[in-house]
């Protein structure tokens, strides 16, 4: 599925992932390919982008741009202070602050 992560200043990430875990207001939840449409508020916590792996890389500053290589099979994690997430037509859009 396609993921687009946007801050007020820039597009942080745009690309294909296998799964996304976000810190929802009622707790963390996972979004998979072809998930039903959803709109949710995000709280402070971590967003994880999954690329077929058990290996984990921690990115301390969410505002750093990164271009993961899906061939490397990684899980990328970065911290957010809050925001919104929308899943619609197999595109996950995450607005972070």
């Amino acid at each position: 599925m396609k993921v687009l992560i946007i801050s007020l200043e820039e597009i942080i990430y745009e690309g294909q992932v296998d799964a996304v875990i976000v810190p929802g207001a009622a707790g963390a939840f996972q979004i998979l390919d072809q998930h039903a449409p959803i709109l949710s508020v995000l709280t402070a916590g971590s967003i994880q982008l999954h690329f077929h792996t058990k290996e984990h890389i921690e990115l301390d500053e969410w505002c750093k741009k990164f271009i993961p290589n899906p061939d490397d099979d990684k899980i990328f994690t970065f911290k957010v202070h809050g925001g919104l997430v929308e899943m619609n037509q197999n595109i996950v859009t995450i607005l972070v602050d």
Side-chain angles (χ1 to χ4, degrees):
M1 75 187 142
K2 181 176 179 178
V3 171
L4 180 62
I5 302 174
I6 305 169
S7 72
L8 291 175
E9 295 84 24
E10 63 185 331
I11 295 174
I12 296 170
Y13 175 74
E14 182 175 8
Q16 296 292 318
V17 302
D18 298 304
V20 178
I21 297 178
V22 294
F29 63 93
Q30 183 175 35
I31 301 172
L32 298 171
D33 193 39
Q34 301 299 327
H35 194 284
I38 188 171
L39 178 63
S40 178
V41 173
L42 300 180
T43 60
S46 294
I47 293 176
Q48 291 184 1
L49 303 179
H50 289 249
F51 300 94
H52 294 301
T53 188
K54 295 177 183 173
E55 188 175 345
H56 183 248
I57 296 174
E58 182 77 28
L59 299 177
D60 289 330
E61 297 180 39
W62 65 268
C63 62
K64 285 185 178 178
K65 275 192 175 183
F66 59 94
I67 303 171
N69 181 350
D71 295 333
D72 286 345
D73 294 332
K74 306 271 188 244
I75 299 173
F76 287 85
T77 301
F78 59 96
K79 294 176 179 22
V80 294
H81 301 288
L84 297 170
V85 62
E86 176 190 38
M87 169 61 150
N88 195 12
Q89 298 181 348
N90 216 34
I91 300 172
V92 179
T93 305
I94 303 173
L95 307 174
V96 296
D97 44 280

